[in-house]
Amino acid sequence: MDDNNKRRARLRSRVRQEVQTEYESARRLMEARDDYDPVWAYFLDLLMRPMDRNGLQAAVGRPVVEHLCNQAPYELFHAMGVHPLRMASGCFAAGRLSAGDFPVLMCPMLKAIVGMQRLRESSQTAPSARVVPTTCDWVVQYQQMTDADPEQTFFMELPHLRESERGQQRWLEQAYELVRFLESRMGVKLKRKALASSVQIFMRAWQAIGRLIEQRRAGRLPAVWFMAVANSFMLDPIEPWTEQLQRVLGHVDAHPSQAAGKGVFLAGSPILFPNFKLPLLIEAAGMTVLGDDLCTSERIWPGAVCPEENSFHGLLRALAERYHMACICPTFADNERRINTILGVLQRYPVRGVVHHVLKGCHPFDIDSFRLERQLKSAGIPFLRIETDYVEEDNRNIATRLEAFAEI
Ligand code: SF4
């Protein structure tokens, strides 16, 4: 082994240890909360094995297909007997393994994903098929960043004009392409009956998440627990995960927490375990997050799928529409739905302001935050933009700004 390789091996082993420590201390923090209950242990267990393809494959008993973002319908994977693993990470230490190879101002989530992948490389078996929706510029570069096999990567081309008929038609074609890709790589054929059954299985999960969202809107569930549940989505087979979610609903019904202080809406870039710093700081500033539009939290939930007809085409079209039309990611050019969704929550619930989270380097949410700020402030709604990274150094500064915001 030459000196360079030795250095890399030493760094990898140090980072592996730091990653472990970061996850363990985040878990301990959650377990030490006054509102901790054993009902949360299942979800924390799942969060402790992020991006672990081999572990997940063994747990679910299905081949795992990696994907980014939320646009590829989960029901399709399920009906084909494969399990989707979302590549996402909130780990600061993992990002150190990849930081030197990319621009300084790059999405920290992507840095962490690539770092986690490098950590796992040595222990993972054959490369998995990957589905990459072409959302933001960083995601589009993902295959190059990871030197992934192009033959195993399917770029789901996302029409950035969503409301146009041409865009919707193009997206439906992409859903058909995705089916063909998975069929050829996984050696299975997607059947109508299996798809109809998977739509029903996921419908139960969506309904349960919908109830959990309502509990949170009512201030009966702290944001960090909601996020722990949402972040763990698809880190286990969907059926037992939904059962555990039902237990959570029973627990929240029996032991609701009391919303403290001002209710706020949390918008913006994704938040992922173990980096729950912003929701924790919001809570410490005396505010309660009653809703969010994060792609790692409420936005995982695309709502009910309503096929007009039960044919294969009808089901696929309904899925494509749901995952495309309902998505309010700011990578879309026509995105009035995002502001309307936020305003809708503000009108129906006691939400008194919007905290907008921007990860440094996350251009889509950065750009959109200025438009949102103008629109919300002109409607008299307090707005606070927090730009941060996967670091703790700015905690004090963010806490001060949040405390001032809580007073408005
Ligand atoms: S939208 Fe933002 S957070 Fe999501 S992958 Fe792109 S840059 Fe990262």
Side-chain angles (χ1 to χ4, degrees), residues 327-347:
C327 181
I328 51 170
C329 176
T331 52
F332 288 110
D334 46 357
N335 207 18
E336 279 310 300
R337 279 169 196 256
R338 185 164 182 233
I339 176 77
N340 292 336
T341 301
I342 296 174
L343 288 173
V345 176
L346 264 72
Q347 276 156 14

Side-chain angles (χ1 to χ4, degrees), residues 69 107 109-110 135-136 138-139 269-270 295 329 331 359 361-365:
C69 306
C107 166
M109 182 176 78
L110 259 291
T135 49
C136 75
W138 297 121
V139 167
S269 305
C295 65
C329 176
T331 52
L359 282 174
C362 173
H363 306 313
F365 284 101

Side-chain angles (χ1 to χ4, degrees), residues 151-196:
E151 284 300 305
Q152 292 295 331
T153 304
F154 176 66
F155 284 106
M156 229 183 152
E157 291 175 36
L158 192 76
H160 290 280
L161 286 174
R162 179 185 36 195
E163 305 292 341
S164 77
E165 207 174 300
R166 202 174 47 169
Q168 288 161 23
Q169 186 54 35
R170 177 91 188 105
W171 184 245
L172 180 57
E173 284 163 18
Q174 286 296 293
Y176 270 100
E177 280 285 323
L178 171 62
V179 172
R180 283 192 283 276
F181 170 80
L182 290 173
E183 285 183 339
S184 73
R185 299 307 184 279
M186 310 314 287
V188 282
K189 185 97 187 113
L190 177 58
K191 303 261 176 47
R192 188 205 68 82
K193 211 168 149 196
L195 188 55

Side-chain angles (χ1 to χ4, degrees), residues 288-303:
T288 304
V289 177
L290 296 180
D292 72 70
D293 75 350
L294 312 184
C295 65
T296 48
S297 185
E298 273 193 38
R299 202 143 56 73
I300 296 172
W301 181 66

